[in-house]
Amino acid sequence: AAKDLAPLLTPVLKGIVDPLVVTVEPASGKLTFWQHAGGAKPALRPAQVKADNHKDALLLWSATPVDVVVPRAGGGGEEDNAAPDPEALGKLAEDAVAAALGACSAGVVPAAAAG
C-alpha cells in the first residue's frame, strides 16, 4: 500500500516543505495525492488538493530496481571462472543507463488536452 512508502520517502523528501506524493493505481490509472509527514513516525495522509494555476518547480523522483545478469565466458579456462570485476561492471551499467536516459525526454500535458 502507498502508506507503507512513508518511511522510505523520508530521506528523499528531507528539507522539502509540505511535500506531496502522487501515486498511480496500475489497473485504473487513478491518481491519488498524499501529504507526507516525516518525524519519528513517518506517514502518508490523503491530501486535499485543489486546481491552481501556478508556476512552481516540480520534482519528480522515481526509483526503479534494475537487475544486471552477467554471464561468464564459459570457455573452460581458469580465467573464465574468475568472478567479474564489480567496479568495472557497475561503471559499464551506469554508462549504459546514462546514455539511455540522455536519449529520453519528458513533457507535461495539461489535463484538459490529455483527456
Side-chain angles (χ1 to χ4, degrees):
K3 292 182 180 186
D4 297 333
L5 295 174
L8 302 173
L9 293 172
T10 300
V12 176
L13 299 174
K14 184 179 179 181
I16 298 176
V17 179
D18 298 328
L20 285 176
V21 175
V22 63
T23 58
V24 181
E25 182 67 35
S28 65
K30 177 185 173 195
L31 300 178
T32 305
F33 288 87
W34 305 89
Q35 181 72 47
H36 182 269
K41 286 187 152 186
L44 286 176
R45 296 181 181 89
Q48 302 297 322
V49 294
K50 298 176 184 171
D52 187 14
N53 292 328
H54 55 80
K55 296 183 179 176
D56 291 336
L58 174 66
L59 168 67
L60 294 177
W61 178 81
S62 172
T64 306
V66 177
D67 292 328
V68 178
V69 179
V70 181
R72 296 186 183 205
E78 195 170 307
E79 288 180 7
D80 293 336
N81 292 326
D85 177 17
E87 294 294 325
L89 291 174
K91 179 68 174 138
L92 285 170
E94 185 178 319
D95 291 346
V97 170
L101 290 176
C104 293
S105 64
V108 176
V109 177

